[in-house]
Amino acid sequence: MRLLHTSDWHLGRAFHRVNMLGAQAGFIGHLVATVRERDVDAVVVAGDVYDRAVPPLAAVELFDDALHRLADAGVPTVMISGNHDSARRLGVGAGLIGRAGIHLRTAPSEVGTPVVLQDAHGDVAFYGLPYLEPALVKDEFGTEKAGHEQVLGAAMDRVRADLAARARGTRSVVLAHAFVTGGEASDSERDITVGGVASVPAGVFDGVDYTALGHLHGCQTITDRVRYSGSPLPYSFSEADHRKSMWLVDLGGDGSVTAERVDCPVPRRLARLRGTLEELLADPALARHEDAWIEATLTDPVRPAEPMARLSERFPHTLSLVFDPDRAPDDPDVTYARRLAGRSDQQIAEDFVAHVRGAGPDAHERAVLRDAFDAVRADRTVREAAG
């Protein structure tokens, strides 16, 4: 069986101030063309179909168009909700849509109920594990601890139990939306840290033939059987070096897996430039970036006059301007933002406690802070879903 694995469409999202809806529509067209041209037997979409719980109408219309085109292609599609989606909204009409061969899996209670497809070698069971917010699903799975590894482990126990009850030789595919240990993150992914831990070990998915992951925006291989497709389009300049693609996966009759990357259309290249304003304006080696979307980091010791206007004369698609003067790390003028770069909310809060009290928090206080951040994040998830 030949699968096309994609995820993280983020329909409705912009790239800085650039509307990406046209590029997203171009990707949908490329996806459907690939399905037809490469004899794909099933499409799997591993979450974050939309960029937010209540997407703009234009994004909903594009999703509707994608559903019609996939249904017209006659190729079954299995989709799950991600942490950016409202699972309940995305799942509206799932039963009816399923009759057209588009199978939406958004309810945690359904993780052990697969979509079963057939090929010449027998059955393939597709299990959809939507994004599982630990604080909201721990009761469903009966876990004592509300952590990603615990709820995903419990969900996979249901998958393995169902699979064990099926005919010998039934092959299996799991769709999941999670941060798996060993994956490389980007700036454009929402933090899903719970209890100080964001990732789960790949071993959670042992026992199935292929795991199609979503959440991380870079295409990457965790193991031969556990892969991220990544987002089809860039959503931050941290993805400047990404090769945006989908996985074309051949699942053999014996459960063997081979995979090939299928490149996605590139609406415009990304480039991250660094130097003084005069260096960026004068360097002939940068001519190849003049048609790219640009993030420019200026290292001038004093902020130059009208930097964006001047940069845009040479690089008309400059979208982001960062000031980072070359200074010693102990220079008192090093910006607050630079000092905080790469630090988590928990670390920043602990640093604040140390600053005002003269000593950092003890283990109990760190746990209180961690629980508070988890509660705020879970509450935000509930509010978005209800909004």
Side-chain angles (χ1 to χ4, degrees), residues 63-137:
F63 181 56
D64 181 65
D65 178 63
L67 294 182
H68 278 85
R69 295 173 73 177
L70 287 167
D72 288 344
V75 174
T77 299
V78 184
M79 296 183 173
I80 60 172
S81 50
N83 62 303
H84 280 251
D85 298 310
S86 166
R88 293 183 66 182
R89 282 190 176 84
L90 188 64
V92 169
L96 184 61
I97 295 170
R99 297 180 188 177
I102 310 293
H103 306 279
L104 299 172
R105 289 294 185 263
T106 62
S109 59
E110 297 179 347
V111 297
T113 305
V115 175
V116 180
L117 304 178
Q118 292 83 30
D119 65 6
H121 302 283
D123 289 349
V124 181
F126 290 77
Y127 298 89
L129 277 58
Y131 173 67
L132 302 174
E133 176 61 44
L136 305 183
V137 302

Side-chain angles (χ1 to χ4, degrees), residues 277 298 303-312 321 323:
L277 178 59
L298 299 184
R303 185 176 300 218
E306 300 183 329
M308 180 62 86
R310 294 172 65 190
L311 274 172
S312 296
L321 191 58
F323 294 95

Side-chain angles (χ1 to χ4, degrees), residues 115-359:
V115 175
V116 180
L117 304 178
Q118 292 83 30
D119 65 6
H121 302 283
D123 289 349
V124 181
F126 290 77
Y127 298 89
L129 277 58
Y131 173 67
L132 302 174
E133 176 61 44
L136 305 183
V137 302
K138 64 183 181 68
D139 292 338
E140 164 68 30
F141 293 107
T143 59
E144 294 183 4
K145 184 176 180 182
H148 288 294
E149 184 174 356
Q150 288 73 27
V151 296
L152 271 171
M156 283 301 301
D157 285 343
R158 294 189 186 182
V159 168
R160 284 185 283 263
D162 180 85
L163 189 59
R166 294 189 175 272
R168 183 179 178 85
T170 299
R171 288 155 293 156
S172 53
V173 175
V174 163
L175 290 73
H177 197 85
F179 189 162
V180 175
T181 304
E184 183 177 346
S186 305
D187 293 343
S188 52
E189 297 133 6
R190 181 180 293 173
D191 181 25
I192 59 170
T193 300
V194 174
V197 178
S199 64
V200 299
V204 165
F205 301 105
D206 285 351
V208 297
D209 294 307
Y210 183 71
T211 301
L213 293 174
H215 181 57
L216 299 185
H217 288 184
C219 180
Q220 46 202 300
T221 300
I222 305 301
T223 73
D224 287 343
R225 296 183 181 273
V226 180
R227 299 172 187 264
Y228 284 98
S229 67
S231 61
L233 294 164
Y235 294 112
S236 71
F237 277 102
S238 66
E239 300 166 58
D241 295 330
H242 285 189
R243 173 187 162 196
K244 296 300 183 181
S245 58
M246 303 176 285
W247 284 112
L248 191 67
V249 178
D250 285 318
L251 183 61
D254 59 354
S256 59
V257 170
T258 58
E260 170 193 346
R261 291 179 71 174
V262 177
D263 290 332
C264 295
V266 179
R268 191 180 297 278
R269 292 183 303 102
L270 309 186
R272 307 179 93 173
L273 310 182
R274 181 182 178 90
T276 65
L277 178 59
E278 295 304 325
E279 288 171 347
L280 299 186
L281 294 176
D283 188 351
L286 300 181
R288 67 185 188 279
H289 300 307
E290 290 176 355
D291 194 44
W293 280 324
I294 298 293
E295 178 189 72
T297 299
L298 299 184
T299 60
D300 302 74
V302 177
R303 185 176 300 218
E306 300 183 329
M308 180 62 86
R310 294 172 65 190
L311 274 172
S312 296
E313 290 180 3
R314 183 180 187 188
F315 306 102
H317 303 289
T318 301
L319 300 181
S320 176
L321 191 58
V322 180
F323 294 95
D324 187 18
D326 285 334
R327 292 180 176 138
D330 57 353
D331 189 312
D333 290 331
V334 171
T335 67
Y336 181 67
R338 186 173 176 181
R339 293 199 300 273
L340 296 185
R343 300 185 67 75
S344 68
D345 291 342
Q346 175 87 15
Q347 291 170 323
I348 293 169
E350 292 180 9
D351 288 348
F352 177 76
V353 171
H355 174 72
V356 299
R357 193 172 66 184

